[in-house]
Amino acid sequence: MKRPSTASDHLEWEALVGRALLRFGDIEYVSVRCLDVIPDERVFASTVSLDFSRRVDVLLEILDNRKVLAPPLSRLRDGFKRAKELAKTRNLIAHNPLMLNLYVNPETQESKAIYRIDAARSGKHSITLEELKEFSVEVDDLAATIWLEFGNVAGDDGQVWKEFTYIPEP
């Protein structure tokens, strides 16, 4: 039987989970700021306490109802659509433990030990170390993109732009 991972092997899991959760925190923060900056109506007070998925739904509805969407807003909308999909994996890693799964082939008696995060409520969802690596990189890239596009919308000096003027390139 292959030796199960040791505590030192957990360091990679911990670093990746921590990185992904911190970067998802960035995405959550920008979603709150967007609802303070983007709408013409004041919706911040009534949306700030919503969970991430509902807050993003409100933001996407506001952006989708615009007749013309400037490129930074369009990229921000696309980023939040992807973030909403990735939130399912974020919830999986945030609310479930790392488990050692043992497998034995009944015919060959060969055994295998694999660490994985499994959904406690249903065994249907899990994430392996390789999947976590991919998730962490994607969340990192997405958070950077969302921050960049929010900066393009809100302005470099931190002041809020209330009017968005988009002049198409010739």
Side-chain angles (χ1 to χ4, degrees):
M1 179 169 127
K2 183 182 172 201
R3 172 189 69 79
S5 298
T6 63
S8 63
D9 294 328
H10 285 212
L11 293 176
E12 188 171 16
W13 280 92
E14 291 169 3
L16 290 167
V17 167
R19 178 179 167 197
L21 292 180
L22 286 172
R23 295 302 288 181
F24 222 99
D26 290 343
I27 294 169
E28 291 231 21
Y29 176 77
V30 175
S31 74
V32 170
R33 293 289 297 129
C34 282
L35 286 167
D36 189 29
V37 171
I38 292 172
D40 293 329
E41 302 79 22
R42 300 288 31 131
V43 298
F44 179 77
S46 57
T47 59
V48 71
S49 62
L50 294 176
D51 66 35
F52 178 72
S53 181
R54 288 190 176 116
R55 194 168 50 250
V56 169
D57 285 341
V58 171
L59 180 59
L60 293 176
E61 185 175 351
I62 289 167
L63 293 174
D64 286 340
N65 284 324
R66 295 235 168 147
K67 290 188 181 4
V68 177
L69 205 57
L73 286 172
S74 179
R75 290 187 294 269
L76 202 54
R77 179 198 59 206
D78 295 344
F80 278 112
K81 283 182 180 179
R82 183 64 185 141
K84 188 173 175 190
E85 295 168 6
L86 292 174
K88 295 171 188 154
T89 302
R90 185 272 320 260
N91 290 341
L92 174 69
I93 66 173
H95 300 291
N96 294 285
L98 178 62
M99 302 290 289
L100 179 62
N101 295 272
L102 301 173
Y103 302 95
V104 177
N105 183 327
E107 294 174 9
T108 66
Q109 297 304 309
E110 229 179 280
S111 59
K112 189 176 189 180
I114 299 173
Y115 274 100
R116 205 171 61 194
I117 296 174
D118 291 321
R121 293 185 202 148
S122 77
K124 296 178 183 175
H125 303 289
S126 66
I127 187 166
T128 64
L129 183 60
E130 288 307 312
E131 292 167 332
L132 179 59
K133 287 176 183 177
E134 292 171 16
F135 175 77
S136 183
V137 167
E138 184 173 2
V139 170
D140 194 45
D141 290 344
L142 183 60
T145 298
I146 285 174
W147 266 116
L148 176 68
E149 297 308 337
F150 177 71
N152 289 333
V153 169
D156 292 333
D157 60 359
Q159 298 299 313
V160 175
W161 294 354
K162 288 310 294 166
E163 298 295 325
F164 298 100
T165 305
Y166 171 63
I167 302 170
E169 294 181 13

